[in-house]
Amino acid sequence: MRFIHFGDLRLGLNAESGRRWEQDRNREIFDTLKRVIQRAEEMSCELMLISGELFSHQPVSSELERVNRLFLSIPGTEIVIVTGRGDMIRRSSPIRSFKWAPNVHFNISEDPVCYRIPRLNTTVYGMSVFENSGKGTRELSELIKQDDDDSFIKIAVIWEPSPEKAKEALSGLGLSYAALGGRASHEELCDGHLCYCGGTEPGSMSEGGPHGIYSGDISTASGRLIDLRFEPMASATYMPLAVNINKTTDGRELKEMIRSEIEKRGRNNIYRLRLFGGRDPKTEFDLSDIEDEYRISEIVDETEPVYDYEALSEEHPYDLLGYYINRLRRDKRELSELERRAMYHGIDALLRSSDTRGV
């Protein structure tokens, strides 16, 4: 039995609110769901497990219709969905009365449920997480223990951020697979029988690394997991990008360095740009056109001006600036890191305040 497991897609996520590419990211996240559906068709997927936070908010009817049309396009795939905290399902939510496609099993109960799928010789135990409910893996574990179903394949699906709780509650229950949600990165526990799919799409700069789905195969005769693989699927990745400059680097050269690195890593990704190294004190960088060209969420300038101490000392032999330099360099030896930092900050402060009065 071929299956796909994903979760924490968070449709409608507004993580890039106010950014130039905000609407593009919203479309990309939905396009990722389309690619998951296409992948299900390609591999003749028989079971799809969605382990919470399909949505990033309480979905309205139009959003449910849009997603349901995709699910209708793969009628041969049984789809089991549970909710997580981010879905924000409440008693008045439209999702509670929504009519899903015949192949969709959406758990809107606050209690664990089991879905018998005879044609797949499979039982799926699902637990949705609701706001202020307090129920979770322990209740799901109790249902599995009490159920006398004789299916060879037994699967659990739940949004549970704690690996420790998941392992304690779900290991040793004879499960072929446990589809877990609630963590940003994918992770395999208990020899791959308990898996966090991670966010199908990243939601912030803290969620780096690959994002996608798990696909696998379980023997319908023995219930044994015989294949499991992680498949990257995200439209974009949040990436830190550090660029080292020196005293001779000018604005044009810096922009070419940034362009080269971003084109190499992927222009669709979202970058936190950090500049470091020493620069000419007279040089100021204007990267506004780079920000217009690429998805740069933040620029952190950690560069430091590289001063010519000899020239400054000769230029200011009798004022405070010259006195400060000569005091730190009185024996002409190599400065320690602490002294170097003191020299830089002192000169920078004096030059900014233009305080070169005599002493």
Side-chain angles (χ1 to χ4, degrees):
M1 182 193 70
R2 291 171 296 278
F3 70 92
I4 280 176
H5 165 210
F6 75 98
D8 296 282
L9 178 60
R10 295 167 287 197
L11 292 169
L13 182 67
N14 207 22
E16 297 301 312
S17 178
R19 303 286 186 184
R20 172 177 48 82
W21 56 86
E22 175 187 351
Q23 294 303 317
D24 291 336
R25 276 301 287 153
N26 288 340
R27 285 191 292 270
E28 286 174 358
I29 292 173
F30 188 76
D31 287 344
T32 296
L33 178 59
K34 289 182 180 178
R35 287 199 302 279
V36 175
I37 298 299
Q38 290 168 0
R39 179 65 182 124
E41 285 186 297
E42 292 169 0
M43 62 180 282
S44 300
C45 174
E46 294 157 291
L47 179 64
M48 181 176 288
L49 307 164
I50 303 178
S51 53
E53 297 204 345
L54 176 60
F55 300 96
S56 64
H57 57 281
Q58 184 173 215
V60 298
S61 298
S62 59
E63 293 173 299
L64 298 173
E65 289 283 1
R66 193 181 183 201
V67 171
N68 195 44
R69 283 195 292 272
L70 290 180
F71 293 156
L72 276 167
S73 70
I74 49 171
T77 303
E78 301 289 338
I79 303 171
V80 178
I81 309 172
V82 298
T83 65
R85 298 280 185 213
D87 294 289
M88 297 178 66
I89 306 302
R90 301 186 177 94
R91 297 188 186 281
S92 59
S93 296
I95 202 168
R96 287 187 176 271
S97 57
F98 185 78
K99 185 173 177 59
W100 289 97
N103 59 320
V104 176
H105 313 277
F106 202 128
N107 180 17
I108 56 172
S109 167
E110 295 187 23
D111 296 311
V113 297
C114 65
Y115 302 103
R116 315 283 192 203
I117 309 174
R119 71 180 182 87
L120 299 179
N121 196 23
T122 297
T123 297
V124 180
Y125 302 91
M127 180 80 210
S128 281
V129 176
F130 287 79
E131 195 175 28
N132 302 320
S133 168
K135 295 183 180 180
T137 48
R138 184 173 60 83
E139 286 75 16
L140 182 62
S141 174
E142 289 302 316
L143 173 64
I144 298 170
K145 290 175 182 177
Q146 295 169 13
D147 188 31
D148 58 0
D149 176 57
D150 59 358
S151 299
F152 280 108
I153 300 175
K154 294 185 178 183
I155 292 173
V157 55
I158 187 172
W159 191 87
E160 171 52 76
S162 169
E164 291 74 22
K165 288 182 179 179
K167 286 191 290 186
E168 180 182 359
L170 300 176
S171 59
L173 297 179
L175 295 170
S176 299
Y177 186 78
L180 305 173
R183 295 182 69 80
S185 302
H186 66 281
E187 182 179 1
E188 298 172 21
L189 310 173
C190 302
D191 298 323
H193 290 279
L194 278 68
C195 286
Y196 282 98
C197 56
T200 315
E201 281 280 349
S204 69
M205 189 60 69
S206 64
E207 299 180 10
H211 292 261
I213 66 172
Y214 272 111
S215 62
D217 201 350
I218 298 173
S219 168
T220 53
S222 66
R224 191 166 62 88
L225 182 67
I226 54 179
D227 188 29
L228 182 69
R229 70 194 74 85
F230 179 79
E231 301 183 27
M233 195 68 65
S235 300
T237 300
Y238 286 87
M239 287 188 172
L241 175 58
V243 178
N244 187 11
I245 68 170
N246 56 50
K247 190 176 180 180
T248 65
T249 305
D250 59 22
R252 181 194 58 78
E253 183 181 358
L254 175 59
K255 291 175 185 178
E256 287 306 311
M257 292 165 63
I258 295 170
R259 284 191 177 98
S260 175
E261 291 300 320
I262 289 180
E263 293 293 340
K264 188 188 308 179
R265 290 166 168 78
R267 64 182 298 122
N268 206 49
N269 295 322
I270 302 168
Y271 294 90
R272 180 181 185 270
L273 180 61
R274 182 172 71 89
L275 308 178
F276 70 100
R279 59 173 170 80
D280 188 314
K282 299 177 182 178
T283 300
E284 292 186 3
F285 300 116
D286 179 5
L287 299 178
S288 56
D289 51 345
I290 288 289
E291 292 183 275
D292 291 338
E293 187 175 352
Y294 298 104
R295 294 175 170 183
I296 298 177
S297 64
E298 184 182 11
I299 298 178
V300 180
D301 188 348
E302 297 178 355
T303 60
E304 297 178 356
V306 178
Y307 294 108
D308 186 333
Y309 301 136
E310 292 287 351
L312 284 172
S313 178
E314 291 176 6
E315 187 179 343
H316 302 272
Y318 304 115
D319 60 27
L320 183 57
L321 179 58
Y323 176 77
Y324 184 79
I325 293 172
N326 291 328
R327 283 290 294 173
L328 283 175
R329 300 179 70 248
R330 57 186 178 275
D331 55 3
K332 306 296 183 182
R333 61 181 170 77
E334 186 74 21
L335 296 179
S336 68
E337 176 63 19
L338 181 61
E339 290 171 325
R340 189 187 68 79
R341 298 292 296 174
M343 180 77 85
Y344 157 66
H345 287 295
I347 291 174
D348 190 57
L350 288 169
L351 288 175
R352 286 178 183 275
S353 64
S354 299
D355 188 359
T356 54
R357 295 167 297 177
V359 295

